[in-house]
Amino acid sequence: TPACEMADSRRFVLRKLPDTNSDKPIPILEDNESTILYSYNPMNRLKMRHIDMRRHFCRTVVAEGEVELRHIGTEFMAADIFTKPLPPASFERHRR
């Protein structure tokens, strides 16, 4: 959700600037396929009732075409270096 909120804020600023291409959705790279699937098609709502209402914002901006969620494999997720302990080989690859 923070990524969707930042993308929405960026979109707002781009609309105010002249000569910017703000018609394209802002891509967000995600390694969780369930999150992507739920954002595009909110099925199995009974299983998803534990999700905090603030988290539904991302689904809203995806539906409006403001944001596009794209899948990226975990081995290519550069943010992992900041969020979890990595094996030495993965750490070195992301560090470069």
Side-chain angles (χ1 to χ4, degrees):
T1 298
C4 288
E5 291 171 357
M6 291 297 291
D8 191 51
S9 298
R10 180 178 175 212
R11 192 114 157 115
F12 176 78
V13 171
L14 286 175
R15 284 189 184 128
K16 301 293 181 187
L17 298 173
D19 300 326
T20 57
N21 188 4
S22 63
D23 295 336
K24 294 182 180 179
I26 296 174
I28 295 178
L29 303 178
E30 175 66 53
D31 63 349
N32 187 329
E33 291 184 41
S34 297
T35 299
I36 296 171
L37 289 174
Y38 183 71
S39 294
Y40 284 103
N41 184 14
M43 58 188 166
N44 295 330
R45 291 186 185 177
L46 293 176
K47 293 180 182 179
M48 298 296 183
R49 64 179 173 218
H50 68 279
I51 296 176
D52 189 1
M53 290 304 292
R54 291 176 292 167
R55 306 292 180 218
H56 292 288
F57 176 75
C58 193
R59 188 179 63 180
T60 303
V61 293
V62 166
E64 292 173 353
E66 304 286 327
V67 169
E68 176 186 11
L69 297 179
R70 296 182 186 167
H71 182 263
I72 184 171
T74 302
E75 63 274 7
F76 301 111
M77 182 59 79
D80 285 352
I81 197 170
F82 301 112
T83 60
K84 60 179 97 170
L86 297 174
S90 295
F91 179 80
E92 289 298 323
R93 184 177 63 245
H94 288 303
R95 194 176 77 157
R96 290 186 201 136

